[in-house]
Amino acid sequence: MNGYKPSYDEIVKNTGTPAYVFDLDVLRDRLKMIKDTLGEEIGICYAMKANPFVVGDIDEVVDRYEVCSPGEFKICEKAEVPMKKVVLSGVYKEAVDTKRTVAAYKDDILYTAESVNQFHLVNDAAVENGIVVNMILRITTGNQFGIDEVELCEIIADRAKYKGVNIVGIQHFSGTQRKNLKIYKEELNYCDSLIKKLKEDYEFEAEELEFGTGFFFEYFQPKAKKGEAEMSQEESEANARREDVILLEEFSKLLSEMEFSGRITLEIGRFIVASCGRYYTSIVDKKHNCDIDFCIVDGGIHQLNYFGQMMAMKKPWYRQLKSNGEIYMGGSDNANVCGSLCTINDNLVKGMPLTNPQLQDILEFKNSGAYSMTETAALFLSRDLPKVFLYEKEKGLKMMRDRVEAFELNY
C-alpha cells in the first residue's frame, strides 16, 4: 500500500510544517505481511520505543507491547492497552513504579528481569500482594543488558524459593539493524543450547523464548553500480521492501530448524513501524555559499533521524511538493538541505537532487516512522516540537500532539 500522499495544499491546510504523519493502514499492512511470512504460530511483540504514538491502534495485529519505562507504561494505560499484552521490560525498573504495577494489575503483566536485583524486586512486590506473576529472564549478550548466564542458572536452580514469580522462559536480544543470517543462526543455536542446559541440569522446561531480532530496515536509495542505470525512487523502494520479505523468509527457516518447541515471540520495532511515517518540512531560506547551494528548512536533525545516515551523504526516499501542485522525486538541482539549528552538523541531506527549489517548497521524507520523534535532540535550541498525526483512509487525519513550545520545557 502506498498510503498517505497529500498534495501541497492539503499539507498547508491540514498539518503544516514541520509535522509527522503516521499511516495506520500502511502499518497494519506491514504487520500483516510480517505475520503472513513468519506464520501465525510466531508471536509479534511491538517495541513501542520505536514509535509510541501508534500504541493502542494496532492492538488487534500485535500480540504484545514491549514497555521499557514508567512513561511508556503510562502511555499504555492512557491508550487502554490490554495489560495481558504488556511485557514490562527495561534495564532500570524503578521500585515505586514496579510496586504500583504489581499491585494494580496483579498477574496480567509479563515481567522481564534484566538483573538479579530486578528479579528480587518483582518477586518481593508479588509476594507482598499475595500473587504470582509470570516472568522471563533476559540473558546478556555481553553488554549492560540482561543477566550473566551463571547468575541466570543460579536463579533457575533456586526458583522454588521464590514464591512470587513463575519463570516461563528466556529473553534474548540480538542487536540493531541486523541481517546477517549466519549470526542469527549462531544466536538461535545458543538459545537452543541454553534452554536444553536448563532442562538437563535444573529440570526447568522453558515455555517461551522471546527473541529481539533487530531486523535491518533500508532507509536509503542505492547508488547505481558502474555501467548500470540508476533506479527510480519507486523501483528502488519496491526492491528494498522485497528484500524485507526475503529476510523474513530466511529467518523463518532458521526458526523452523530450532530444537525448541515452545512459544516463540519476536520483539520488533523499527522494522515494523519505519515505513508508515512521513515527515514534512518547508524550505524557508536559500543561499549559494562557496559554489554550494543550500536550502534551509524549518525542521532539522532534531526531528528527523535515519539510522546509518553518515554525514548526510546518503539519500532517503522523498518527494518535493510545490505550491503550483507539481510534485518531484528528484531533479538536476543539487542542494545541501540543512535544518534550523545553529550547528554545522544540522544537515539532512547533502547534494539532494531537487527541481528548481524555491521558498515554501515542502519536502516529504519517507520511512520516518521509527525513532525520529523520540530519539533526536528535540529540545536543542528550544525549537518547537512538531505536530504529530495519525492517518487512516476511512477516518482521515487525527492529531495526536499539537505543536509544543519547547522553551517552556527548557526554562
Side-chain angles (χ1 to χ4, degrees), residues 72-92:
E72 287 191 343
F73 188 78
K74 288 176 182 177
I75 290 172
C76 289
E77 289 181 310
K78 186 176 180 180
E80 298 182 347
V81 167
M83 285 297 143
K84 287 191 178 296
K85 285 183 175 282
V86 169
V87 180
L88 197 57
S89 193
V91 69
Y92 170 43

Side-chain angles (χ1 to χ4, degrees), residues 30 82 92 193 214 221 285 333 372:
R30 177 80 173 173
Y92 170 43
S193 65
Q221 300 180 48
D285 202 355
D333 302 309
S372 278

Side-chain angles (χ1 to χ4, degrees), residues 24-260:
L24 294 176
D25 297 327
V26 169
L27 178 54
R28 290 171 184 142
D29 279 358
R30 177 80 173 173
L31 278 160
K32 183 178 185 302
M33 179 276 290
I34 292 170
K35 276 187 166 289
D36 287 349
T37 307
L38 292 172
E40 285 297 322
E41 70 278 6
I42 302 298
I44 301 297
C45 178
Y46 174 59
M48 64 176 287
K49 59 180 173 285
N51 185 334
F53 289 99
V54 302
V55 167
D57 288 284
I58 54 173
D59 286 353
E60 72 279 10
V61 284
V62 297
D63 299 287
R64 289 176 178 164
Y65 293 98
E66 187 207 31
V67 181
C68 290
S69 73
E72 287 191 343
F73 188 78
K74 288 176 182 177
I75 290 172
C76 289
E77 289 181 310
K78 186 176 180 180
E80 298 182 347
V81 167
M83 285 297 143
K84 287 191 178 296
K85 285 183 175 282
V86 169
V87 180
L88 197 57
S89 193
V91 69
Y92 170 43
K93 288 183 173 65
E94 299 175 37
V96 171
D97 291 288
T98 301
K99 291 176 181 179
R100 180 183 81 84
T101 55
V102 171
Y105 297 105
K106 308 303 180 186
D107 58 353
D108 283 349
I109 295 170
L110 175 64
Y111 291 85
T112 71
E114 293 215 23
S115 70
V116 174
N117 289 333
Q118 276 193 12
F119 177 83
H120 288 293
L121 172 63
V122 176
N123 177 72
D124 292 348
V127 170
E128 186 177 325
N129 284 274
I131 61 173
V132 177
V133 299
N134 289 329
M135 175 179 282
I136 51 179
L137 304 180
R138 180 168 179 172
I139 183 71
T140 188
T141 52
N143 46 43
Q144 73 268 39
F145 304 107
I147 305 172
D148 183 82
E149 183 177 322
V150 172
E151 291 183 322
L152 187 146
C153 289
E154 289 174 352
I155 291 174
I156 294 293
D158 295 335
R159 63 190 182 279
K161 297 179 182 178
Y162 306 110
K163 305 304 181 183
V165 168
N166 175 39
I167 303 171
V168 297
I170 302 300
Q171 183 187 48
H172 179 286
F173 181 69
S174 194
T176 298
Q177 288 289 72
R178 306 280 295 279
K179 58 180 178 180
N180 188 316
L181 291 168
K182 180 180 179 181
I183 294 177
Y184 276 135
K185 184 174 179 61
E186 291 173 355
E187 291 172 337
L188 292 172
N189 286 344
Y190 170 71
C191 290
D192 254 344
S193 65
L194 176 60
I195 291 170
K196 184 178 181 180
K197 175 182 178 179
L198 296 178
K199 181 177 181 179
E200 292 179 348
D201 294 356
Y202 308 104
E203 297 183 347
F204 172 75
E205 190 80 50
E207 301 172 27
E208 178 165 347
L209 169 65
E210 182 177 301
F211 189 88
T213 62
F215 284 140
F216 176 82
F217 182 89
E218 181 59 81
Y219 284 114
F220 306 108
Q221 300 180 48
K223 291 184 179 180
K225 295 179 180 179
K226 189 174 181 179
E228 294 183 1
E230 188 169 305
M231 286 189 286
S232 69
Q233 284 205 47
E234 295 97 330
E235 290 172 330
S236 62
E237 190 167 19
N239 185 63
R241 302 295 76 90
R242 283 193 293 270
E243 291 294 323
D244 293 343
V245 176
I246 293 172
L247 176 59
L248 289 172
E249 289 174 340
E250 294 300 317
F251 187 81
S252 180
K253 292 177 184 176
L254 296 181
L255 292 180
S256 68
E257 294 169 0
M258 292 188 70
E259 292 182 23
F260 177 65

